[in-house]
Amino acid sequence: MLRALHDVSSAVNHLLPDWRAHPEESRFAATKRSYRWLRGHYPHLASSWAVTIANETSATLASWDKLLRRARRHDPEKFERMRSHLPRRKNLKASLHRGLYRLDGKVLDITLSPERHVRIDLSGTSHPLFWRYLKESGGEFGLAVTDRKLVFNFRISNPQPVRKEVVGVDLNMPSADFATSDGKIGSVDLKEISRVQGAMERKRRSVQAHLPTDLKAQRRVLRRNRGRERNCVRPLLHRAANDLLKAMGDRTIIFEDLSETTEQILKERRRGDCAQRRRLSAWTHGQLQGIVSYKARSAVVRVNARGTSSTCPRCGGSLTHPTWRRSDCAHCQGTWHRDRGAAIVILDRGRAALRGAALPPSARNALLDAATWRPDLETGPGPADERSKGDDANFGLV
Ligand SMILES: [Zn+2]
């Protein structure tokens, strides 16, 4: 299997300059042209591997072009550096052609050549979603293989239903706060994630301090650390997503649409601590939304994120923040817990998007009551205070 993956990556690197030189050619024509060469050089692999290699080449070029477009918009220097170069496939990965694998009972069979098969027993797979998705997708799935893992892609046909009750979720760094259309407010703790990311942040700073002149080495170490950090944080995100889903029950979920926020952060191009922090929490929140969305048994809706924590949940007036967590409305004189108020605003936007009936007055009153500011809600300092202390409990996305 590893040998086949090495073959894929070297074949991709061989094809890239040639494919790049013929941008007018369709993917199909390019595959057809390269097929003979591939069959000649990799006769020990089954013919569908040639198709797999062509697909990987095309995917590598496509993702490189996407990076180029992004660099052109946000980072002209990087764009100048990149434009004259070609991508290079370094990691070992192949999305297999459908003809190369099948599930034989609980044994996954991958064809290397007609005489050589890799058989992997999946009966020990304990991931509950794996068997559920396999059943719901009717045994059809896409398969990508890397040197470390198998990635299954299921396509589930039945869409997640829209429920009668709705829940708005505001993701912050020490917690995820939610407000439901039947008048409940709750939150799920994300402190452990902040803690891990804080520790990693300190490591990042120490790397930058210790290797201040060797930018290349610095980048290499930082990249390795980023991988480790993501591996540490991912299981925590899964746990947080499970807690959140359990707490929210079967309700249609409304999240903030983070794509604009991410664009905004990329545009800033600042390398300072604050930009770093914002990038990090945008990544974390995006991941958490993604995990919740695929685990949810109800529909997930995304609404405009602009100004959710600076809009009054009662009158829609604009809010000021005398402390990180407290929001004051000059218009209706309300004082709110910042994150709970934001969750109510998100809930309202989602209900408008879903064209649902207005919130019953009793539920609205219960929400506003629960979101009203009380000094005991000031649990720990916000990011602004945090930065000066250099501690790691909070990463807020303003
Ligand atoms: Zn107000």
Side-chain angles (χ1 to χ4, degrees), residues 311-319 328-336:
T311 304
C312 175
R314 181 159 60 202
C315 71
S318 67
L319 298 174
D328 288 358
C329 177
H331 191 251
C332 71
Q333 313 301 324
T335 58
W336 314 108

Side-chain angles (χ1 to χ4, degrees), residues 190-391:
L190 304 176
K191 279 202 194 74
E192 182 62 16
I193 295 169
S194 303
R195 198 189 59 74
V196 171
Q197 290 189 324
M200 293 292 185
E201 165 98 13
R202 281 197 297 275
K203 195 174 217 170
R204 198 158 31 230
R205 279 196 213 139
S206 101
V207 168
Q208 280 162 343
H210 282 92
L211 299 167
T213 50
D214 192 346
L215 280 180
K216 215 169 169 183
Q218 202 186 83
R219 252 201 303 274
R220 197 173 54 235
V221 177
L222 288 178
R223 195 178 305 132
R224 195 168 58 220
N225 274 336
R226 189 161 60 220
R228 275 187 203 147
E229 172 173 352
R230 292 184 174 186
N231 288 342
C232 287
V233 168
R234 228 169 240 127
L236 298 175
L237 286 168
H238 275 271
R239 207 174 306 152
N242 291 342
D243 290 348
L244 197 55
L245 282 166
K246 202 169 156 200
M248 295 188 303
D250 279 340
R251 296 180 169 90
T252 300
I253 299 166
I254 300 162
F255 278 130
E256 289 178 299
D257 185 352
L258 294 177
S259 51
E260 203 184 329
T261 322
T262 313
E263 284 284 294
Q264 200 63 44
I265 290 168
L266 281 170
K267 249 182 236 153
E268 286 172 7
R269 286 187 56 225
R270 278 184 297 158
R271 306 217 184 277
D273 275 359
C274 187
Q276 179 88 306
R277 212 177 279 265
R278 277 160 61 84
R279 256 200 301 282
L280 196 63
S281 60
W283 178 83
T284 314
H285 291 160
Q287 290 282 313
L288 186 57
Q289 283 194 359
I291 297 170
V292 168
S293 304
Y294 85 71
K295 287 188 172 181
R297 287 173 181 273
S298 314
V300 177
V301 178
R302 287 185 172 76
V303 296
N304 184 4
R306 183 153 294 179
T308 46
S309 51
S310 55
T311 304
C312 175
R314 181 159 60 202
C315 71
S318 67
L319 298 174
T320 53
H321 303 285
T323 64
W324 173 253
R325 238 157 259 300
R326 180 177 153 175
S327 306
D328 288 358
C329 177
H331 191 251
C332 71
Q333 313 301 324
T335 58
W336 314 108
H337 179 275
R338 180 192 188 112
D339 304 335
R340 294 181 177 183
I344 300 175
V345 174
I346 294 168
L347 173 68
D348 281 337
R349 286 189 190 175
R351 288 177 66 85
L354 291 165
R355 305 189 188 289
L359 215 57
S362 59
R364 175 165 292 282
N365 288 338
L367 287 180
L368 291 175
D369 190 41
T372 297
W373 176 256
R374 290 187 311 274
D376 58 299
L377 290 175
E378 182 97 56
T379 51
D385 318 295
E386 209 51 51
R387 211 169 308 136
S388 52
K389 274 201 313 185
D391 205 342

